[in-house]
Amino acid sequence: MASNRPAPQAAYIPNDDDFGGYDQETWEEWNPTEESVRPVRGRHRVHKKGGGLARSSTVLGVGVIAAVGAGGMATAQDGKAPVSISMPDLGAVADSLPEAESLPGVGSLLADDSAAPAGAETVAAAAPLTAAGVSHTDARQGATDAGEALRARIMQQAESQQAQADDAVRTAAEEAAVKKAAEEAAAQQRQAERKADAEAAAKKKKEREAREAKALAERRAKLAKSYALPTSSYTITSHFGVAGSMWSSGHHTGLDFAAPTGTPLKAVHTGTVKEAGWAGAYGYRTVLELSDGTEVWYCHQSSMNVSAGQKVSTGDVIGRVGATGNVTGPHLHMEVHTAGGSTVDPLAWLQSKGLNP
């Protein structure tokens, strides 16, 4: 606060009547101090540039009266000639001043004062500097220090951001769980579909195999009616392909049916007698040619009942079991040759015709 300077000296010394009948000597110079002036309660803001701005016409009036009083007392004490002072009409001055609410920056201050809760003025007055930046909300929450209020706001913002981050993480986790559950459900659905497809395929395969087996049995049954075994009351003593030194090729080329000499030999199928006669190591041999070119050889016969070029039917007797040629005992040595001349297993060939030797 600036100190009061002595008023300019005046030539006129006023008398008692000039002061309304009061003794001028009882007047003293008024030098207001912080202790003598009662603080105005409320929130004050100090303008940083230039002199202060009065918040109301009352404050302005007090300043005018103080200035005039100081000047008058100084003139009276100096004993100078009185100076004519024209006191303005404070009421007219107050009326001519603009409304405080219309001044830039002042209206918001008054508005803050009107909206301030009870007790906020006390906080601001008690700590005019430390309370700077403390909002009414901070004051209601008990924060009276600007740093503490700022820290509280930062913590609140950090908590809000952390809550948002937690919400984002939780949302992402929920979405991931939903996605995983959907993928697992889809995988289970695909697995169930594959299992159902495999079961359906296995069922179809089984049904197809059953149909094929049935068809084969029917075909064999039909073939069995048109094919017959070459003899009866026999025992198979040697199979096709067996290795041994007794055979010139090094292995057995046919199927041996051991039976007593004279046992009838029958045509396995309808065909034409291609050969009938002696064949060296085969003894007496009959070659029956079928319609597809397959040849069936009957070897080691004791006698023959057909001749070359003769037509025979299934089951016709064409000769008898013997032991002619290179043998160790009476039996039928049967060979099967394809139309191309290859030798095949007689047992497998007979089975393909529905027969089971």
Side-chain angles (χ1 to χ4, degrees):
M1 179 184 292
S3 60
N4 294 328
R5 298 178 181 178
Q9 296 182 356
Y12 173 72
I13 300 177
N15 53 28
D16 295 340
D17 295 336
D18 295 333
F19 293 92
Y22 291 93
D23 186 1
Q24 66 175 346
E25 294 181 358
T26 62
W27 289 65
E28 297 179 357
E29 179 179 359
W30 182 44
N31 188 14
T33 64
E34 182 176 0
E35 289 78 14
S36 63
V37 178
R38 181 175 62 85
V40 179
R41 303 183 67 82
R43 299 178 65 179
H44 299 273
R45 299 185 183 180
V46 180
H47 197 277
K48 295 182 179 180
K49 297 181 180 180
L53 177 63
R55 298 182 65 183
S56 64
S57 60
T58 304
V59 178
L60 179 61
V62 171
V64 173
I65 294 174
V68 173
M73 288 185 290
T75 302
Q77 293 174 359
D78 292 340
K80 300 295 181 67
V83 178
S84 176
I85 299 174
S86 177
M87 296 294 294
D89 187 357
L90 297 180
V93 172
D95 293 339
S96 64
L97 292 176
E99 293 295 335
E101 290 81 353
S102 63
L103 295 177
V106 177
S108 60
L109 296 177
L110 296 179
D112 291 344
D113 289 341
S114 62
E121 295 180 354
T122 303
V123 174
L129 296 179
T130 60
V134 180
S135 65
H136 298 155
T137 303
D138 298 331
R140 285 195 300 270
Q141 295 177 352
T144 59
D145 183 79
E148 183 65 24
L150 178 60
R151 177 181 177 277
R153 293 172 188 171
I154 293 175
M155 293 299 296
Q156 183 179 7
Q157 184 178 8
E159 292 175 357
S160 176
Q161 294 176 351
Q162 183 63 37
Q164 294 177 358
D166 294 342
D167 292 341
V169 171
R170 183 170 57 255
T171 301
E174 292 175 354
E175 292 177 352
V178 171
K179 182 179 180 181
K180 182 178 180 180
E183 292 176 351
E184 291 178 352
Q188 292 177 357
Q189 180 66 23
R190 290 192 297 269
Q191 184 177 1
E193 291 176 354
R194 287 195 296 268
K195 182 178 180 181
D197 293 341
E199 291 177 352
K203 183 178 180 181
K204 290 181 179 179
K205 181 180 179 181
K206 186 175 180 180
E207 293 175 351
R208 183 178 67 254
E209 291 176 350
R211 290 193 301 269
E212 292 176 353
K214 182 179 179 180
L216 179 60
E218 293 176 351
R219 185 170 65 254
R220 286 181 175 179
K222 184 178 180 180
L223 288 173
K225 294 180 180 179
S226 61
Y227 285 82
L229 291 173
T231 188
S232 59
S233 302
Y234 61 88
T235 299
I236 297 178
T237 58
S238 184
H239 288 79
F240 177 82
V242 176
S245 59
M246 64 178 61
W247 298 291
S248 60
S249 62
H251 63 275
H252 196 217
T253 57
L255 184 65
D256 288 351
F257 295 83
T261 300
T263 302
L265 298 178
K266 297 177 291 187
V268 296
H269 191 60
T270 301
T272 303
V273 177
K274 186 176 182 180
E275 295 181 12
W278 184 259
Y282 287 106
Y284 288 106
R285 180 184 68 179
T286 299
V287 177
L288 177 63
E289 185 179 18
L290 307 183
S291 59
D292 62 354
T294 301
E295 295 180 357
V296 181
W297 294 4
Y298 297 80
C299 306
H300 307 306
Q301 298 178 79
S302 60
S303 62
M304 297 178 290
N305 294 0
V306 293
S307 58
Q310 185 179 343
K311 301 289 186 182
V312 296
S313 298
T314 302
D316 291 345
V317 176
I318 59 174
R320 294 185 183 272
V321 175
T324 59
N326 186 13
V327 297
T328 57
H331 70 280
L332 167 65
H333 175 82
M334 178 182 175
E335 292 187 9
V336 178
H337 298 259
T338 64
S342 300
T343 305
V344 297
D345 185 359
L347 179 61
W349 184 82
L350 289 172
Q351 290 175 343
S352 68
K353 306 305 180 183
L355 302 175
N356 293 306

